[in-house]
Amino acid sequence: MWRIISFISGLAVIVVLLFRYRITMRTTIDLTSKVAVIGLWRAGMQNLTALSRDALTLAFKMLWHNQPRLLLTVLGVGVAFFLAAAQFGLLVGWTNTNSALIRHANVDLWVMAEQTPAFDYGTAIPRQRIHQALSVPGVEWAEGLFMGWEIWQRGDGRRVNVELVGLDKSNVGGPWAMRDGKLGCVHVAHQVIVDELYLGPLGVKQVGENFEMIGERTVVGGISQGVRTFTASPFIFTSIEQAIRIDKRYHAEEITYALVRCAPGADVAAVQQEMRKRIAHVEVLTSNEFAVRSAKYWMLETGVGITVVITAVLGLGVGVVITSQTLFAITQDHLPNYATLLALGFRRSSLVVMVLVQSLTLGVCGVVAGSALFFSAVLASARTPIPLETTPLVYAGLVAVSLLSCLVASVMSLRSIFKIDPVSVFRL
Amino acid sequence: MSTVLECRKLAKHYGEGDLAEPVLREVTLHVQRGEACVLIGPSGSGKTTLLSILGCLLTPSGGELHIAGERVNFGSLRALGELRRTRLGFVFQHAQLLPFLSVEENLRVVGRNAGLERVALNGRINMLMQRLGLEAMRGKKPDKLSGGQRQRVAIARAMLHEPSILLADEPTAALDWHNGENVVDMLIAQAREARAALIVVTHDTRLLPKFDRVLSIADGCVKETPTLKPHAN
């Protein structure tokens, strides 16, 4: 049994390492890791006895014997894996999207009105909070940020809901990559920045075009890259002063968030605690806490996340059913051969290894096929408003769950193996 | 000659209590090394049941089985598997070769399973292929072979590990007379050369003169029938 476990562990390590190469898209090959993979494989193979190697050979040849069925099964498992990976990819992409501005602001603490559910739903707090934050020991820098829902009027008269973000002097909280123009243009009268992903919906063709927001003239001063919105309302960036002038619901001395950076070496948690004590009627969250809160709001409270997870689980379920059915059919087809092997003195454990190896092989091939589809989709969606993304942890988890599902799918086949009576070889 | 197979009052019944249906009743049998026996009897007489017990595939309801002087422990699946791997050779009615392996691979897998080392295994495979006329078929899959060729491969597979006892169940049933006769001749020749006891179950009475002993089974008992030729040895 330990041989089986060591073989499966070896396979898992190889899959993880292969994944590492894939996910980081490295162009240079890490020779050390490559040697480690080969070493692991060789060590694993040396641990296997000749009989186990025969069981592996028999398992692979048995699968290869019916190539059309093998191909269809791998495609089936691959599509199921792709379905699950794509759903989790959407989840990760959306989670990244709805916390992107928070993460890219690169500040330590966010001061906001109490019970702010997500970045997109901040409400007004006095600008004075910035000065109160600056008075807390350990704080090095603090500025404001405006966030409000407005209406953008296109040249053809159509109106589009947008999220207007007003930047303070340092432009913190603004776009992190510019295609055209400069970030500082937001401080020029009437100028705003729009993102290239939403030029179509906003009716923008180039920098310098004029539009209207709540009756106020706006000029496109720059075009950013990769600033997605989760709410389908594009982000528009300008200065705080111009944002308040457009919004009209905020007073001149109001902001939505106070962004805080601590001095180097300062204990952020201690600063956060002190700030909570000193500033009344606000919440003080770290960037990570605020990002998690925003993600939780959109993913859990709106039901979007649950729907996506259910679809992903269904995808994995489809994979289990496909693998299970095919493996069972293969096992049933080969029952006479299994009976012959038993009659010739093969151990039943060798037959079990064969079924498990077949199951894992289908799983690994399916995962590889599904991964090819998934990473193609990731590349294709990289510059669209709805990106598919993943993290090493999520992807490794998906691979592990998929392979585990394939092993679960072999249960029915294993039952058949345990029921084989070698005497039946005389009745064939 | 030494006794390699010995049955003492072997019995087998299916079902329990009042519903028990006896198939074999106190079968006592001795087979020597190099002896070729044929087992005949009407359908349902228990030929396959006896062959299954002798092949350590089926546990008898009573009695003892001794192979090469050792009593078979039917309680240990591991011991039974070991016996089948090393002491017994099987030739089945339809050869039962693994369809996804070539002829050579079919032999190699079984040889390794029996514990043969690489050099010895290569030697045995080459020798048997030459003797049984299989050299041209090394790389072929079973579905590319005729029925007779498949049975020759099955004989090679059964003889690969030089078993003490060779059991064949209707090896000619799927073959025409000419091919069937050839297969039986090869079986007997190989068994004699390896000094293995051969027990063949068949319905074809034309083959009986080729064997040293004819055993007939009826009403659960095995009886010796006079052979139709002088003892080969």
Side-chain angles (χ1 to χ4, degrees):
Chain A
M1 182 54 85
W2 69 269
R3 289 190 189 112
I4 300 169
I5 292 168
S6 68
F7 179 73
I8 291 170
S9 315
L11 267 185
V13 169
I14 287 164
V15 167
V16 169
L17 286 173
L18 284 176
F19 157 73
R20 195 174 139 242
Y21 290 130
R22 216 171 251 283
I23 198 72
T24 55
M25 305 270 181
R26 285 187 180 170
T27 49
T28 53
I29 296 168
D30 180 350
L31 278 175
T32 316
S33 300
K34 196 177 178 186
V35 168
V37 170
I38 294 167
L40 259 174
W41 177 257
R42 282 192 180 160
M45 289 309 284
Q46 278 165 4
N47 276 335
L48 294 171
T49 62
L51 290 183
S52 304
R53 281 205 296 274
D54 277 340
L56 294 182
T57 307
L58 288 170
F60 291 134
K61 296 221 168 186
M62 202 180 270
L63 272 184
W64 191 247
H65 188 55
N66 191 336
Q67 289 166 23
R69 180 163 60 186
L70 174 65
L71 183 69
L72 284 175
T73 309
V74 167
L75 277 178
V77 177
V79 168
F81 177 81
F82 168 68
L83 191 62
Q87 291 301 315
F88 277 106
L90 278 177
L91 199 63
V92 172
W94 284 342
T95 304
N96 287 341
T97 296
N98 62 39
S99 61
L101 283 178
I102 301 170
R103 286 181 290 105
H104 282 283
N106 196 26
V107 297
D108 295 314
L109 297 169
W110 290 68
V111 180
M112 65 197 77
E114 288 175 311
Q115 296 184 334
T116 302
F119 174 83
D120 312 83
Y121 293 113
T123 50
I125 57 172
R127 190 174 180 89
Q128 187 193 359
R129 300 291 178 249
I130 297 173
H131 306 294
Q132 288 177 310
L134 280 168
S135 69
V136 175
V139 172
E140 185 183 63
W141 171 95
E143 279 189 5
L145 187 79
F146 171 91
M147 161 62 221
W149 291 77
E150 316 298 342
I151 294 171
W152 173 277
Q153 190 159 345
R154 292 163 38 131
D156 59 6
R158 276 176 59 193
R159 294 180 169 198
V160 179
N161 277 320
V162 295
E163 293 190 54
L164 184 62
V165 178
L167 307 179
D168 218 335
K169 290 186 282 292
S170 308
N171 299 325
V172 174
W176 47 91
M178 295 294 292
R179 193 189 84 179
D180 297 323
K182 289 185 178 171
L183 185 54
C185 72
V186 294
H187 297 289
V188 178
H190 306 298
Q191 290 210 354
V192 297
I193 295 174
V194 297
D195 195 84
E196 65 172 358
L197 293 171
Y198 303 97
L199 294 181
L202 294 172
V204 177
K205 292 188 181 68
Q206 60 193 12
V207 169
E209 285 185 286
N210 285 281
F211 294 88
E212 208 173 279
M213 285 177 80
I214 324 278
E216 293 286 335
R217 178 186 166 233
T218 55
V219 179
V220 176
I223 296 175
S224 62
Q225 275 184 320
V227 184
R228 294 184 178 87
T229 176
F230 181 71
T231 62
S233 299
F235 282 113
I236 308 284
F237 297 92
T238 187
S239 65
I240 284 191
E241 295 77 19
Q242 295 192 85
I244 290 172
R245 197 184 68 241
I246 292 168
D247 185 84
K248 297 182 177 67
R249 289 166 293 187
Y250 273 59
H251 297 296
E253 287 305 308
E254 283 181 332
I255 53 173
T256 314
Y257 301 105
L259 315 183
V260 176
R261 283 190 184 132
C262 297
D267 182 350
V268 175
V271 173
Q272 182 185 20
Q273 286 302 319
E274 186 60 28
M275 206 172 283
R276 279 173 176 165
K277 279 185 205 163
R278 290 193 184 195
I279 310 176
H281 309 303
V282 293
E283 281 192 88
V284 183
L285 300 180
T286 63
S287 283
N288 191 46
E289 286 169 347
F290 192 30
V292 169
R293 178 185 285 193
S294 288
K296 266 189 182 172
Y297 173 78
W298 288 112
M299 292 298 121
L300 299 179
E301 291 188 33
T302 63
V304 168
I306 297 295
T307 311
V308 170
V309 169
I310 287 172
T311 316
V313 171
L314 281 176
L316 287 175
V318 169
V320 171
V321 171
I322 291 172
T323 314
S324 174
Q325 278 191 333
T326 310
L327 200 62
F328 187 66
I330 292 171
T331 309
Q332 292 301 306
D333 281 358
H334 287 284
L335 277 183
N337 299 320
Y338 283 122
T340 303
L341 289 170
L342 272 182
L344 295 177
F346 275 75
R347 294 181 182 91
R348 212 175 282 264
S349 59
S350 297
L351 308 191
V352 170
V353 169
M354 285 168 65
V355 171
L356 290 177
V357 165
Q358 287 174 348
S359 184
L360 268 180
T361 304
L362 291 175
V364 170
C365 293
V367 165
V368 169
S371 298
L373 285 173
F374 176 67
F375 285 109
S376 304
V378 167
L379 287 176
S381 70
R383 303 194 73 172
T384 65
I386 304 171
L388 288 179
E389 292 173 0
T390 191
T391 67
L393 190 66
V394 168
Y395 192 78
L398 264 174
V399 170
V401 169
S402 298
L403 296 182
L404 197 66
S405 305
C406 285
L407 289 180
V408 170
S410 64
V411 168
M412 270 167 49
S413 301
L414 288 176
R415 281 188 63 194
S416 302
I417 292 292
F418 282 110
K419 280 184 183 172
I420 295 173
D421 184 354
V423 176
S424 63
V425 77
F426 284 126
R427 294 191 284 265
L428 297 172
Chain B
M1 286 197 292
S2 59
T3 301
V4 70
L5 178 71
E6 184 182 357
C7 309
R8 292 181 195 162
K9 297 186 177 178
L10 269 187
K12 179 68 185 176
H13 56 76
Y14 293 106
E16 294 295 329
D18 294 341
L19 297 173
E21 187 186 337
V23 181
L24 298 177
R25 307 165 198 263
E26 299 198 346
V27 173
T28 297
L29 183 67
H30 294 77
V31 183
Q32 313 293 321
R33 282 193 181 279
E35 209 169 32
C37 306
V38 62
L39 184 62
I40 56 171
S43 295
S45 58
K47 298 187 297 295
T48 301
T49 299
L50 179 57
L51 204 65
S52 301
I53 293 173
L54 299 181
C56 300
L57 295 166
L58 190 63
T59 304
S61 308
E64 294 175 10
L65 173 66
H66 294 254
I67 290 176
E70 287 183 25
R71 183 176 175 179
V72 175
N73 175 11
F74 281 98
S76 164
L77 288 177
R78 185 176 284 267
L80 294 178
E82 181 71 19
L83 271 174
R84 293 201 297 271
R85 256 194 309 279
T86 57
R87 300 272 189 179
L88 301 172
F90 294 92
V91 178
F92 306 112
Q93 186 171 336
H94 298 288
Q96 288 299 115
L97 302 176
L98 300 177
F100 45 88
L101 297 183
S102 68
V103 166
E104 187 175 346
E105 287 168 335
N106 260 285
L107 300 183
R108 205 165 280 287
V109 160
V110 173
R112 277 201 293 263
N113 188 47
L116 293 181
E117 295 297 330
R118 181 192 289 240
V119 177
L121 180 58
N122 287 342
R124 289 290 296 164
I125 289 175
N126 290 337
M127 189 267 283
L128 284 166
M129 285 214 166
Q130 192 179 17
R131 282 198 188 165
L132 295 169
L134 296 170
E135 280 173 312
M137 298 155 207
R138 267 178 186 270
K140 286 187 180 173
K141 293 273 172 66
D143 61 352
K144 303 288 179 205
L145 306 179
S146 68
Q149 288 169 332
R150 279 201 286 271
Q151 280 302 30
R152 272 153 49 197
V153 178
I155 293 170
R157 182 178 68 181
M159 295 304 301
L160 200 63
H161 54 294
E162 299 179 273
S164 310
I165 300 163
L166 191 56
L167 303 170
D169 182 40
E170 302 271 12
T172 63
L175 306 177
D176 58 39
W177 162 246
H178 177 68
N179 273 314
E181 190 183 28
N182 275 342
V183 163
V184 168
D185 286 341
M186 283 182 186
L187 257 177
I188 293 172
Q190 292 300 316
R192 285 218 176 104
E193 190 180 317
R195 290 184 42 76
L198 171 68
I199 299 178
V200 176
V201 167
T202 185
H203 278 103
D204 193 341
T205 52
R206 291 174 296 179
L207 297 168
L208 302 191
K210 294 178 179 292
F211 292 89
D212 303 324
R213 293 168 67 188
V214 177
L215 309 168
S216 62
I217 187 166
D219 297 327
C221 297
V222 173
K223 289 177 186 166
E224 189 105 14
T225 305
T227 53
L228 301 175
K229 65 164 193 174
H231 197 284
N233 290 339

